[in-house]
Amino acid sequence: MNSQEKIKKLLKHPLLTSIVGALTGAVLTYNATTHDAVTYNNIEAYIEQLMVIPGLVDEDVLLPETPFEQLEAVANQMSETNQEYNELLEEKESLTMEVEQLKTEIEQLKEQKIAELSSPKLKIKGEDIDTTFTDYMATVDGRTYYLEGFLNMILPDEISNDGGLVQYGKDMPEKVNVISEGLAYDESGMVVHKGETSFSMGTENYSFGITTKSYSDGKVNIECDGKYSELTFVLGHINASGSTDYTLTVSYLDASGTFVKSRSIEADEKMPILTYNVPIYNTKTVQITSEGDGGGGAMYGLVDIYLIK
């Protein structure tokens, strides 16, 4: 068998099935156009030129002594490369499936979160407040609160969200209603409403609270018995009652028996209806006074008056 027949047999060897397209095709095409035959001894040069230099295989394939062993090394490397390629394809398919699964899970979580936000529960200082995602404001004691994100920006305490329950601050401390418990006394120039009469502020009508007049000074004392740290109330202008300004002052009785001012509020007819929280330092008596200019006919109301422990 001559050299040309040997090379033809070698190029058809089963070990080279993985490089038929890359090696034999390239070698035979190259030699068909430039040479009549490929000699057995020249295979190493062709491997180097067509396989090693382009980077198709490592130069280690040239280490074996015989061309046949070199071709076998080429076939082995090509086979390993093909196996790695197949493994990469399998890994890609697996990753693709994982990505699709993650997309499905994300969509499910998104739908779940939307469902939670569509009907959240809101708790402020221990009190449950009805609200919805579309109606994301809640009015508590005359003040408008927004849901979680906005509240965290404007309130001193963090908002927590646990299983759809939105909660602000700690549980509601013990409190007592000043009017319903009959703790207001010694009123002068003010009227304490205990359900028999009523007055309006904004869109609400109230039958429990205290009303004051801008055209005369007033005073009312509240019995605290040293058990409360804070007085809270809603203050606003009584509808259609005039336009004179006045000053409302909250004071507490200290250990020496002297009333000490804790908070003064300048009131006018354009004031918003707001909640005020005033420290009273566990005093025995709180005194609320109003100071007007003696005219104008304006009236102001205090409602939702609570002592807080």
Side-chain angles (χ1 to χ4, degrees), residues 129-145:
I129 307 300
D130 291 330
T131 185
T132 64
F133 183 67
T134 53
D135 181 18
Y136 54 87
M137 294 180 291
T139 300
V140 184
D141 291 337
R143 178 178 293 176
T144 300
Y145 291 89

Side-chain angles (χ1 to χ4, degrees), residues 80 111 206 240 261:
E80 291 174 2
E111 292 177 3
Y206 300 94
K261 181 173 68 175

Side-chain angles (χ1 to χ4, degrees), residues 59-161:
E59 61 182 355
D60 293 347
V61 299
L62 301 177
L63 294 178
E65 296 181 357
T66 67
F68 180 83
E69 290 173 330
Q70 292 171 355
L71 285 173
E72 186 178 13
V74 169
N76 289 336
Q77 275 202 24
M78 295 293 286
S79 177
E80 291 174 2
T81 302
N82 187 60
Q83 182 178 354
E84 291 175 1
Y85 176 73
N86 290 334
E87 290 174 355
L88 286 173
L89 283 180
E90 292 177 3
E91 185 176 353
K92 177 186 175 183
E93 291 176 1
S94 176
L95 288 173
T96 301
M97 292 178 61
E98 290 182 13
V99 169
E100 292 300 321
Q101 184 176 354
L102 284 173
K103 285 182 179 179
T104 302
E105 292 177 359
I106 289 171
E107 287 300 319
Q108 291 174 347
L109 289 173
K110 181 179 176 182
E111 292 177 3
Q112 179 181 348
K113 192 63 177 178
I114 289 175
E116 289 178 1
L117 292 175
S118 297
S119 57
K121 292 177 288 183
L122 176 63
K123 179 172 284 191
I124 297 179
K125 292 186 177 179
E127 293 186 353
D128 292 321
I129 307 300
D130 291 330
T131 185
T132 64
F133 183 67
T134 53
D135 181 18
Y136 54 87
M137 294 180 291
T139 300
V140 184
D141 291 337
R143 178 178 293 176
T144 300
Y145 291 89
Y146 294 78
L147 285 185
E148 189 173 356
F150 189 75
L151 285 172
N152 278 332
M153 295 171 58
I154 65 173
L155 296 176
D157 292 332
E158 189 73 10
I159 301 302
S160 63
N161 189 340

Side-chain angles (χ1 to χ4, degrees), residues 165-304:
L165 174 62
V166 180
Q167 181 168 336
Y168 165 57
K170 300 178 180 178
D171 290 342
M172 186 69 169
E174 185 179 340
K175 67 180 182 179
V176 60
N177 189 297
V178 169
I179 304 302
S180 62
E181 294 297 322
L183 301 179
Y185 68 97
D186 191 25
E187 64 264 23
S188 173
M190 294 186 182
V191 178
V192 178
H193 298 261
K194 302 177 182 178
E196 298 86 2
T197 57
S198 63
F199 55 95
S200 298
M201 295 192 305
T203 59
E204 299 293 330
N205 197 49
Y206 300 94
S207 55
F208 292 88
I210 299 173
T211 56
T212 67
K213 307 176 182 64
S214 66
Y215 46 87
S216 64
D217 296 340
K219 177 186 71 176
V220 65
N221 289 336
I222 299 173
E223 182 182 350
C224 303
D225 197 25
K227 298 186 297 186
Y228 304 97
S229 63
E230 188 177 45
L231 177 73
T232 178
F233 55 88
V234 175
L235 175 65
H237 179 261
I238 295 177
N239 295 348
S241 66
S243 59
T244 306
D245 301 349
Y246 94 132
T247 302
L248 183 81
T249 301
V250 178
S251 303
Y252 63 92
L253 190 67
D254 68 6
S256 67
T258 303
F259 280 104
V260 179
K261 181 173 68 175
S262 182
R263 176 78 182 270
S264 287
I265 303 167
E266 300 295 328
D268 61 63
E269 64 168 335
K270 296 180 181 180
M271 67 180 296
I273 300 172
L274 294 177
T275 298
Y276 295 87
N277 298 282
V278 183
I280 57 174
Y281 308 104
N282 295 90
T283 183
K284 291 184 177 181
T285 304
V286 165
Q287 187 173 88
I288 300 176
T289 60
S290 61
E291 184 179 352
D293 64 359
M299 297 179 65
Y300 298 86
L302 289 82
V303 297
D304 296 333

Side-chain angles (χ1 to χ4, degrees), residues 10-12 16 19-30:
L10 185 59
L11 292 175
K12 293 180 181 179
L16 299 181
I19 59 170
V20 168
L23 179 61
T24 60
V27 171
L28 293 178
T29 301
Y30 177 81

